[in-house]
Amino acid sequence: MAQVQTVTGPIEAEELGTTLIHEHLRNADEAVHNQWPQAGAAKEEPPHEVAPGEDYDIAVREAKAVVDLGIKTIGEPTAMFLGRDVNFMRRVSEETGLQVVPCTGIYTYDYLPQFFFNRDPDQIAELFVADIEQGIQGTDIRAAFIKCAADEPGVNENIEKIHRAAARASVKTGAPIMAHSRPASNTGPRQIEIFLEEGVEPSKIQMAHTGDTDDLDYIEGLLEKGVWIGLDRYGLDIFLPYEKRQATAKALLERGYADRIFLSADSVATTDWFPSNVIEQLIASGAANEWTIRIVPERVLPELRESGMTDRQERTMMVDNAVHWLTG
Ligand SMILES: [Zn+2]
């Protein structure tokens, strides 16, 4: 069987085990932290803002909690602009035993740094390929997949360029793509179209955040292309309430799509995107509700079992799909 790269080295794909495909051990603005290392002050329960250094303890605590719940591996889609630090991931993995599958790529909805703005997709793809073939940030840790994003601004010129770069790196290396999408802006179809134009196999494409809609016509429109979908933001009620996410999952299972679906939460052990008081408001208002790395094993899976999900469907979604997406 093929191998999969993790932050502690390659493993046999069959060793992946129960996998949450989309969870972040840390989310930090790398430019701000480079310029103002002291930025961020309060420390509270996740996902509250934390001071430098305290993010590690919280990531370890959350990783341990999820290992205790039977999770063996996470896909860690923290790319450029989300604060990717593979040494941080490696330390958390070594301390907790949680296997962490890292990525390359760039997370942006519109803006590109001058370095990328002034380069073409092939030149950008070279950087992604280097992460996949040689190693990330001067380490021997190699990226297992490629991340890109489209959101409210749509698939504009900059976003198309990054999608083409991701696609070319995928075609060159065989690494799969995880594309952050926004169903409310109908980004999915155009994102897939670009990948297919570039010659990416549909089986290498995962459309993250497809579960932010319960529009089954939209979802099946993507599935008809042969891609994977992420029902991967459980707890982020601000985009779609939990009950609607579960109803969508059940409907898709009934329609026979277990072999196309990933269940995850897109959790962040810590984030500095918002000041603490805003995060508190988001939680108090119900916009984020039980939004942690634990929600899928702790709540989502037991409820789906209750409502008729078979052992086979669960194993397909939580174990086999990661193997197939990551190894082609
Ligand atoms: Zn994410």
PDB file of all heavy atoms in Angstrom, residues 148-182:
ATOM      1  N   CYS A 148      -5.942  25.329  -1.168  1.00  0.00           N
ATOM      2  CA  CYS A 148      -6.215  26.636  -1.757  1.00  0.00           C
ATOM      3  C   CYS A 148      -7.627  27.031  -1.325  1.00  0.00           C
ATOM      4  O   CYS A 148      -8.305  26.252  -0.655  1.00  0.00           O
ATOM      5  CB  CYS A 148      -6.070  26.630  -3.277  1.00  0.00           C
ATOM      6  SG  CYS A 148      -7.153  25.465  -4.111  1.00  0.00           S
ATOM      7  N   ALA A 149      -8.049  28.231  -1.684  1.00  0.00           N
ATOM      8  CA  ALA A 149      -9.316  28.723  -1.150  1.00  0.00           C
ATOM      9  C   ALA A 149     -10.011  29.667  -2.119  1.00  0.00           C
ATOM     10  O   ALA A 149      -9.364  30.411  -2.861  1.00  0.00           O
ATOM     11  CB  ALA A 149      -9.081  29.457   0.177  1.00  0.00           C
ATOM     12  N   ALA A 150     -11.336  29.597  -2.089  1.00  0.00           N
ATOM     13  CA  ALA A 150     -12.164  30.634  -2.712  1.00  0.00           C
ATOM     14  C   ALA A 150     -13.290  30.929  -1.739  1.00  0.00           C
ATOM     15  O   ALA A 150     -13.837  30.018  -1.121  1.00  0.00           O
ATOM     16  CB  ALA A 150     -12.727  30.167  -4.046  1.00  0.00           C
ATOM     17  N   ASP A 151     -13.622  32.204  -1.592  1.00  0.00           N
ATOM     18  CA  ASP A 151     -14.645  32.566  -0.618  1.00  0.00           C
ATOM     19  C   ASP A 151     -15.522  33.671  -1.193  1.00  0.00           C
ATOM     20  O   ASP A 151     -15.764  33.716  -2.395  1.00  0.00           O
ATOM     21  CB  ASP A 151     -13.978  32.945   0.721  1.00  0.00           C
ATOM     22  CG  ASP A 151     -14.906  32.773   1.901  1.00  0.00           C
ATOM     23  OD1 ASP A 151     -14.962  31.665   2.477  1.00  0.00           O
ATOM     24  OD2 ASP A 151     -15.600  33.747   2.247  1.00  0.00           O
ATOM     25  N   GLU A 152     -15.947  34.599  -0.368  1.00  0.00           N
ATOM     26  CA  GLU A 152     -16.953  35.577  -0.789  1.00  0.00           C
ATOM     27  C   GLU A 152     -16.569  36.373  -2.044  1.00  0.00           C
ATOM     28  O   GLU A 152     -17.432  36.628  -2.877  1.00  0.00           O
ATOM     29  CB  GLU A 152     -17.274  36.525   0.378  1.00  0.00           C
ATOM     30  CG  GLU A 152     -18.654  37.101   0.258  1.00  0.00           C
ATOM     31  CD  GLU A 152     -19.158  37.668   1.575  1.00  0.00           C
ATOM     32  OE1 GLU A 152     -18.401  37.633   2.570  1.00  0.00           O
ATOM     33  OE2 GLU A 152     -20.304  38.150   1.585  1.00  0.00           O
ATOM     34  N   PRO A 153     -15.310  36.765  -2.216  1.00  0.00           N
ATOM     35  CA  PRO A 153     -14.975  37.498  -3.443  1.00  0.00           C
ATOM     36  C   PRO A 153     -15.075  36.648  -4.713  1.00  0.00           C
ATOM     37  O   PRO A 153     -14.935  37.171  -5.829  1.00  0.00           O
ATOM     38  CB  PRO A 153     -13.521  37.942  -3.203  1.00  0.00           C
ATOM     39  CG  PRO A 153     -13.326  37.866  -1.727  1.00  0.00           C
ATOM     40  CD  PRO A 153     -14.186  36.715  -1.275  1.00  0.00           C
ATOM     41  N   GLY A 154     -15.277  35.352  -4.568  1.00  0.00           N
ATOM     42  CA  GLY A 154     -15.422  34.491  -5.744  1.00  0.00           C
ATOM     43  C   GLY A 154     -14.086  34.073  -6.338  1.00  0.00           C
ATOM     44  O   GLY A 154     -13.024  34.338  -5.781  1.00  0.00           O
ATOM     45  N   VAL A 155     -14.171  33.407  -7.467  1.00  0.00           N
ATOM     46  CA  VAL A 155     -12.945  32.929  -8.122  1.00  0.00           C
ATOM     47  C   VAL A 155     -12.442  34.038  -9.051  1.00  0.00           C
ATOM     48  O   VAL A 155     -12.643  34.009 -10.265  1.00  0.00           O
ATOM     49  CB  VAL A 155     -13.188  31.608  -8.881  1.00  0.00           C
ATOM     50  CG1 VAL A 155     -11.880  31.075  -9.445  1.00  0.00           C
ATOM     51  CG2 VAL A 155     -13.810  30.562  -7.954  1.00  0.00           C
ATOM     52  N   ASN A 156     -11.815  35.020  -8.428  1.00  0.00           N
ATOM     53  CA  ASN A 156     -11.291  36.144  -9.207  1.00  0.00           C
ATOM     54  C   ASN A 156      -9.906  35.795  -9.767  1.00  0.00           C
ATOM     55  O   ASN A 156      -9.431  34.660  -9.634  1.00  0.00           O
ATOM     56  CB  ASN A 156     -11.255  37.415  -8.345  1.00  0.00           C
ATOM     57  CG  ASN A 156     -10.466  37.184  -7.058  1.00  0.00           C
ATOM     58  OD1 ASN A 156      -9.441  36.507  -7.072  1.00  0.00           O
ATOM     59  ND2 ASN A 156     -10.940  37.727  -5.954  1.00  0.00           N
ATOM     60  N   GLU A 157      -9.260  36.785 -10.363  1.00  0.00           N
ATOM     61  CA  GLU A 157      -8.004  36.519 -11.078  1.00  0.00           C
ATOM     62  C   GLU A 157      -6.928  35.923 -10.175  1.00  0.00           C
ATOM     63  O   GLU A 157      -6.258  34.947 -10.536  1.00  0.00           O
ATOM     64  CB  GLU A 157      -7.504  37.842 -11.674  1.00  0.00           C
ATOM     65  CG  GLU A 157      -6.647  37.672 -12.900  1.00  0.00           C
ATOM     66  CD  GLU A 157      -6.266  39.018 -13.504  1.00  0.00           C
ATOM     67  OE1 GLU A 157      -7.120  39.952 -13.464  1.00  0.00           O
ATOM     68  OE2 GLU A 157      -5.130  39.140 -13.973  1.00  0.00           O
ATOM     69  N   ASN A 158      -6.763  36.513  -8.993  1.00  0.00           N
ATOM     70  CA  ASN A 158      -5.731  36.005  -8.075  1.00  0.00           C
ATOM     71  C   ASN A 158      -6.044  34.590  -7.616  1.00  0.00           C
ATOM     72  O   ASN A 158      -5.162  33.739  -7.510  1.00  0.00           O
ATOM     73  CB  ASN A 158      -5.615  36.914  -6.845  1.00  0.00           C
ATOM     74  CG  ASN A 158      -4.904  38.215  -7.165  1.00  0.00           C
ATOM     75  OD1 ASN A 158      -4.319  38.366  -8.226  1.00  0.00           O
ATOM     76  ND2 ASN A 158      -4.971  39.159  -6.244  1.00  0.00           N
ATOM     77  N   ILE A 159      -7.303  34.350  -7.321  1.00  0.00           N
ATOM     78  CA  ILE A 159      -7.709  33.031  -6.815  1.00  0.00           C
ATOM     79  C   ILE A 159      -7.573  31.982  -7.913  1.00  0.00           C
ATOM     80  O   ILE A 159      -7.126  30.857  -7.666  1.00  0.00           O
ATOM     81  CB  ILE A 159      -9.162  33.107  -6.269  1.00  0.00           C
ATOM     82  CG1 ILE A 159      -9.215  34.051  -5.063  1.00  0.00           C
ATOM     83  CG2 ILE A 159      -9.689  31.729  -5.910  1.00  0.00           C
ATOM     84  CD1 ILE A 159      -8.195  33.775  -3.975  1.00  0.00           C
ATOM     85  N   GLU A 160      -7.919  32.363  -9.119  1.00  0.00           N
ATOM     86  CA  GLU A 160      -7.750  31.423 -10.238  1.00  0.00           C
ATOM     87  C   GLU A 160      -6.276  31.049 -10.413  1.00  0.00           C
ATOM     88  O   GLU A 160      -5.930  29.884 -10.647  1.00  0.00           O
ATOM     89  CB  GLU A 160      -8.296  32.034 -11.535  1.00  0.00           C
ATOM     90  CG  GLU A 160      -8.105  31.096 -12.713  1.00  0.00           C
ATOM     91  CD  GLU A 160      -8.787  31.574 -13.996  1.00  0.00           C
ATOM     92  OE1 GLU A 160      -9.695  32.435 -13.912  1.00  0.00           O
ATOM     93  OE2 GLU A 160      -8.398  31.065 -15.070  1.00  0.00           O
ATOM     94  N   LYS A 161      -5.406  32.044 -10.260  1.00  0.00           N
ATOM     95  CA  LYS A 161      -3.967  31.772 -10.404  1.00  0.00           C
ATOM     96  C   LYS A 161      -3.498  30.743  -9.380  1.00  0.00           C
ATOM     97  O   LYS A 161      -2.772  29.798  -9.706  1.00  0.00           O
ATOM     98  CB  LYS A 161      -3.172  33.079 -10.240  1.00  0.00           C
ATOM     99  CG  LYS A 161      -1.686  32.896 -10.460  1.00  0.00           C
ATOM    100  CD  LYS A 161      -0.877  34.058  -9.896  1.00  0.00           C
ATOM    101  CE  LYS A 161      -0.683  35.151 -10.922  1.00  0.00           C
ATOM    102  NZ  LYS A 161       0.342  36.153 -10.449  1.00  0.00           N
ATOM    103  N   ILE A 162      -3.948  30.904  -8.126  1.00  0.00           N
ATOM    104  CA  ILE A 162      -3.534  29.957  -7.080  1.00  0.00           C
ATOM    105  C   ILE A 162      -4.149  28.574  -7.329  1.00  0.00           C
ATOM    106  O   ILE A 162      -3.495  27.545  -7.114  1.00  0.00           O
ATOM    107  CB  ILE A 162      -3.931  30.494  -5.684  1.00  0.00           C
ATOM    108  CG1 ILE A 162      -3.172  31.805  -5.392  1.00  0.00           C
ATOM    109  CG2 ILE A 162      -3.633  29.463  -4.600  1.00  0.00           C
ATOM    110  CD1 ILE A 162      -1.662  31.728  -5.506  1.00  0.00           C
ATOM    111  N   HIS A 163      -5.382  28.550  -7.803  1.00  0.00           N
ATOM    112  CA  HIS A 163      -5.990  27.251  -8.126  1.00  0.00           C
ATOM    113  C   HIS A 163      -5.212  26.552  -9.243  1.00  0.00           C
ATOM    114  O   HIS A 163      -5.007  25.340  -9.203  1.00  0.00           O
ATOM    115  CB  HIS A 163      -7.465  27.425  -8.525  1.00  0.00           C
ATOM    116  CG  HIS A 163      -8.396  27.523  -7.353  1.00  0.00           C
ATOM    117  ND1 HIS A 163      -8.279  28.509  -6.400  1.00  0.00           N
ATOM    118  CD2 HIS A 163      -9.437  26.741  -6.958  1.00  0.00           C
ATOM    119  CE1 HIS A 163      -9.227  28.325  -5.478  1.00  0.00           C
ATOM    120  NE2 HIS A 163      -9.943  27.263  -5.794  1.00  0.00           N
ATOM    121  N   ARG A 164      -4.787  27.305 -10.237  1.00  0.00           N
ATOM    122  CA  ARG A 164      -4.015  26.685 -11.328  1.00  0.00           C
ATOM    123  C   ARG A 164      -2.645  26.211 -10.817  1.00  0.00           C
ATOM    124  O   ARG A 164      -2.154  25.153 -11.208  1.00  0.00           O
ATOM    125  CB  ARG A 164      -3.866  27.651 -12.513  1.00  0.00           C
ATOM    126  CG  ARG A 164      -5.182  27.903 -13.203  1.00  0.00           C
ATOM    127  CD  ARG A 164      -5.073  28.511 -14.597  1.00  0.00           C
ATOM    128  NE  ARG A 164      -6.423  28.814 -15.095  1.00  0.00           N
ATOM    129  CZ  ARG A 164      -7.265  27.908 -15.614  1.00  0.00           C
ATOM    130  NH1 ARG A 164      -6.870  26.658 -15.767  1.00  0.00           N
ATOM    131  NH2 ARG A 164      -8.475  28.259 -16.006  1.00  0.00           N
ATOM    132  N   ALA A 165      -2.046  26.985  -9.938  1.00  0.00           N
ATOM    133  CA  ALA A 165      -0.763  26.563  -9.354  1.00  0.00           C
ATOM    134  C   ALA A 165      -0.945  25.283  -8.548  1.00  0.00           C
ATOM    135  O   ALA A 165      -0.147  24.334  -8.661  1.00  0.00           O
ATOM    136  CB  ALA A 165      -0.196  27.673  -8.470  1.00  0.00           C
ATOM    137  N   ALA A 166      -2.005  25.232  -7.742  1.00  0.00           N
ATOM    138  CA  ALA A 166      -2.281  24.027  -6.939  1.00  0.00           C
ATOM    139  C   ALA A 166      -2.502  22.836  -7.859  1.00  0.00           C
ATOM    140  O   ALA A 166      -1.984  21.737  -7.617  1.00  0.00           O
ATOM    141  CB  ALA A 166      -3.511  24.264  -6.060  1.00  0.00           C
ATOM    142  N   ALA A 167      -3.271  23.064  -8.916  1.00  0.00           N
ATOM    143  CA  ALA A 167      -3.571  21.980  -9.861  1.00  0.00           C
ATOM    144  C   ALA A 167      -2.299  21.455 -10.517  1.00  0.00           C
ATOM    145  O   ALA A 167      -2.093  20.244 -10.632  1.00  0.00           O
ATOM    146  CB  ALA A 167      -4.543  22.479 -10.925  1.00  0.00           C
ATOM    147  N   ARG A 168      -1.424  22.377 -10.936  1.00  0.00           N
ATOM    148  CA  ARG A 168      -0.202  21.939 -11.624  1.00  0.00           C
ATOM    149  C   ARG A 168       0.720  21.184 -10.669  1.00  0.00           C
ATOM    150  O   ARG A 168       1.369  20.205 -11.053  1.00  0.00           O
ATOM    151  CB  ARG A 168       0.493  23.146 -12.259  1.00  0.00           C
ATOM    152  CG  ARG A 168      -0.317  23.661 -13.445  1.00  0.00           C
ATOM    153  CD  ARG A 168       0.218  24.927 -14.076  1.00  0.00           C
ATOM    154  NE  ARG A 168      -0.869  25.550 -14.847  1.00  0.00           N
ATOM    155  CZ  ARG A 168      -0.748  26.635 -15.583  1.00  0.00           C
ATOM    156  NH1 ARG A 168       0.429  27.267 -15.668  1.00  0.00           N
ATOM    157  NH2 ARG A 168      -1.784  27.122 -16.245  1.00  0.00           N
ATOM    158  N   ALA A 169       0.775  21.628  -9.424  1.00  0.00           N
ATOM    159  CA  ALA A 169       1.583  20.902  -8.434  1.00  0.00           C
ATOM    160  C   ALA A 169       0.988  19.520  -8.183  1.00  0.00           C
ATOM    161  O   ALA A 169       1.720  18.542  -7.983  1.00  0.00           O
ATOM    162  CB  ALA A 169       1.655  21.698  -7.126  1.00  0.00           C
ATOM    163  N   SER A 170      -0.325  19.426  -8.211  1.00  0.00           N
ATOM    164  CA  SER A 170      -0.989  18.135  -8.020  1.00  0.00           C
ATOM    165  C   SER A 170      -0.693  17.194  -9.183  1.00  0.00           C
ATOM    166  O   SER A 170      -0.358  16.028  -8.977  1.00  0.00           O
ATOM    167  CB  SER A 170      -2.505  18.343  -7.882  1.00  0.00           C
ATOM    168  OG  SER A 170      -3.185  17.112  -7.858  1.00  0.00           O
ATOM    169  N   VAL A 171      -0.819  17.722 -10.392  1.00  0.00           N
ATOM    170  CA  VAL A 171      -0.558  16.888 -11.579  1.00  0.00           C
ATOM    171  C   VAL A 171       0.894  16.405 -11.571  1.00  0.00           C
ATOM    172  O   VAL A 171       1.184  15.256 -11.871  1.00  0.00           O
ATOM    173  CB  VAL A 171      -0.877  17.672 -12.869  1.00  0.00           C
ATOM    174  CG1 VAL A 171      -0.351  16.952 -14.090  1.00  0.00           C
ATOM    175  CG2 VAL A 171      -2.388  17.906 -12.977  1.00  0.00           C
ATOM    176  N   LYS A 172       1.820  17.294 -11.171  1.00  0.00           N
ATOM    177  CA  LYS A 172       3.245  16.941 -11.194  1.00  0.00           C
ATOM    178  C   LYS A 172       3.586  15.897 -10.134  1.00  0.00           C
ATOM    179  O   LYS A 172       4.394  14.996 -10.367  1.00  0.00           O
ATOM    180  CB  LYS A 172       4.066  18.215 -10.968  1.00  0.00           C
ATOM    181  CG  LYS A 172       5.552  18.011 -10.822  1.00  0.00           C
ATOM    182  CD  LYS A 172       6.336  18.943 -11.740  1.00  0.00           C
ATOM    183  CE  LYS A 172       7.756  18.447 -11.964  1.00  0.00           C
ATOM    184  NZ  LYS A 172       8.603  18.616 -10.790  1.00  0.00           N
ATOM    185  N   THR A 173       2.967  16.002  -8.946  1.00  0.00           N
ATOM    186  CA  THR A 173       3.384  15.165  -7.814  1.00  0.00           C
ATOM    187  C   THR A 173       2.407  14.048  -7.466  1.00  0.00           C
ATOM    188  O   THR A 173       2.771  13.116  -6.749  1.00  0.00           O
ATOM    189  CB  THR A 173       3.527  16.031  -6.544  1.00  0.00           C
ATOM    190  OG1 THR A 173       2.241  16.606  -6.240  1.00  0.00           O
ATOM    191  CG2 THR A 173       4.541  17.144  -6.741  1.00  0.00           C
ATOM    192  N   GLY A 174       1.167  14.184  -7.909  1.00  0.00           N
ATOM    193  CA  GLY A 174       0.136  13.223  -7.493  1.00  0.00           C
ATOM    194  C   GLY A 174      -0.521  13.587  -6.174  1.00  0.00           C
ATOM    195  O   GLY A 174      -1.422  12.887  -5.721  1.00  0.00           O
ATOM    196  N   ALA A 175      -0.070  14.671  -5.541  1.00  0.00           N
ATOM    197  CA  ALA A 175      -0.682  15.069  -4.258  1.00  0.00           C
ATOM    198  C   ALA A 175      -2.108  15.571  -4.495  1.00  0.00           C
ATOM    199  O   ALA A 175      -2.375  16.266  -5.470  1.00  0.00           O
ATOM    200  CB  ALA A 175       0.145  16.174  -3.601  1.00  0.00           C
ATOM    201  N   PRO A 176      -3.022  15.234  -3.593  1.00  0.00           N
ATOM    202  CA  PRO A 176      -4.404  15.703  -3.747  1.00  0.00           C
ATOM    203  C   PRO A 176      -4.557  17.158  -3.324  1.00  0.00           C
ATOM    204  O   PRO A 176      -3.673  17.741  -2.694  1.00  0.00           O
ATOM    205  CB  PRO A 176      -5.192  14.774  -2.821  1.00  0.00           C
ATOM    206  CG  PRO A 176      -4.222  14.420  -1.751  1.00  0.00           C
ATOM    207  CD  PRO A 176      -2.859  14.378  -2.401  1.00  0.00           C
ATOM    208  N   ILE A 177      -5.705  17.722  -3.664  1.00  0.00           N
ATOM    209  CA  ILE A 177      -6.017  19.132  -3.366  1.00  0.00           C
ATOM    210  C   ILE A 177      -7.203  19.209  -2.416  1.00  0.00           C
ATOM    211  O   ILE A 177      -8.190  18.504  -2.596  1.00  0.00           O
ATOM    212  CB  ILE A 177      -6.388  19.890  -4.659  1.00  0.00           C
ATOM    213  CG1 ILE A 177      -5.203  19.895  -5.638  1.00  0.00           C
ATOM    214  CG2 ILE A 177      -6.846  21.307  -4.355  1.00  0.00           C
ATOM    215  CD1 ILE A 177      -5.571  20.426  -7.019  1.00  0.00           C
ATOM    216  N   MET A 178      -7.070  20.076  -1.422  1.00  0.00           N
ATOM    217  CA  MET A 178      -8.213  20.446  -0.589  1.00  0.00           C
ATOM    218  C   MET A 178      -8.526  21.906  -0.871  1.00  0.00           C
ATOM    219  O   MET A 178      -7.708  22.785  -0.605  1.00  0.00           O
ATOM    220  CB  MET A 178      -7.906  20.264   0.895  1.00  0.00           C
ATOM    221  CG  MET A 178      -9.067  20.677   1.798  1.00  0.00           C
ATOM    222  SD  MET A 178      -8.584  20.742   3.534  1.00  0.00           S
ATOM    223  CE  MET A 178      -8.534  19.008   3.957  1.00  0.00           C
ATOM    224  N   ALA A 179      -9.710  22.160  -1.411  1.00  0.00           N
ATOM    225  CA  ALA A 179     -10.087  23.518  -1.778  1.00  0.00           C
ATOM    226  C   ALA A 179     -11.167  24.039  -0.830  1.00  0.00           C
ATOM    227  O   ALA A 179     -12.283  23.514  -0.811  1.00  0.00           O
ATOM    228  CB  ALA A 179     -10.596  23.556  -3.216  1.00  0.00           C
ATOM    229  N   HIS A 180     -10.807  25.042  -0.040  1.00  0.00           N
ATOM    230  CA  HIS A 180     -11.805  25.761   0.763  1.00  0.00           C
ATOM    231  C   HIS A 180     -12.798  26.384  -0.217  1.00  0.00           C
ATOM    232  O   HIS A 180     -12.392  27.028  -1.184  1.00  0.00           O
ATOM    233  CB  HIS A 180     -11.069  26.826   1.589  1.00  0.00           C
ATOM    234  CG  HIS A 180     -11.927  27.880   2.223  1.00  0.00           C
ATOM    235  ND1 HIS A 180     -12.015  28.027   3.588  1.00  0.00           N
ATOM    236  CD2 HIS A 180     -12.696  28.863   1.683  1.00  0.00           C
ATOM    237  CE1 HIS A 180     -12.808  29.052   3.866  1.00  0.00           C
ATOM    238  NE2 HIS A 180     -13.235  29.577   2.732  1.00  0.00           N
ATOM    239  N   SER A 181     -14.086  26.171   0.038  1.00  0.00           N
ATOM    240  CA  SER A 181     -15.097  26.724  -0.862  1.00  0.00           C
ATOM    241  C   SER A 181     -16.167  27.461  -0.069  1.00  0.00           C
ATOM    242  O   SER A 181     -16.208  27.374   1.165  1.00  0.00           O
ATOM    243  CB  SER A 181     -15.747  25.598  -1.673  1.00  0.00           C
ATOM    244  OG  SER A 181     -16.526  24.772  -0.825  1.00  0.00           O
ATOM    245  N   ARG A 182     -17.011  28.190  -0.774  1.00  0.00           N
ATOM    246  CA  ARG A 182     -18.124  28.897  -0.120  1.00  0.00           C
ATOM    247  C   ARG A 182     -19.392  28.677  -0.933  1.00  0.00           C
ATOM    248  O   ARG A 182     -19.647  29.389  -1.915  1.00  0.00           O
ATOM    249  CB  ARG A 182     -17.820  30.392  -0.014  1.00  0.00           C
ATOM    250  CG  ARG A 182     -18.856  31.148   0.825  1.00  0.00           C
ATOM    251  CD  ARG A 182     -18.426  32.600   1.030  1.00  0.00           C
ATOM    252  NE  ARG A 182     -19.160  33.246   2.093  1.00  0.00           N
ATOM    253  CZ  ARG A 182     -20.312  33.914   1.931  1.00  0.00           C
ATOM    254  NH1 ARG A 182     -20.857  34.019   0.744  1.00  0.00           N
ATOM    255  NH2 ARG A 182     -20.904  34.473   2.970  1.00  0.00           N
TER     256      ARG A 182
END
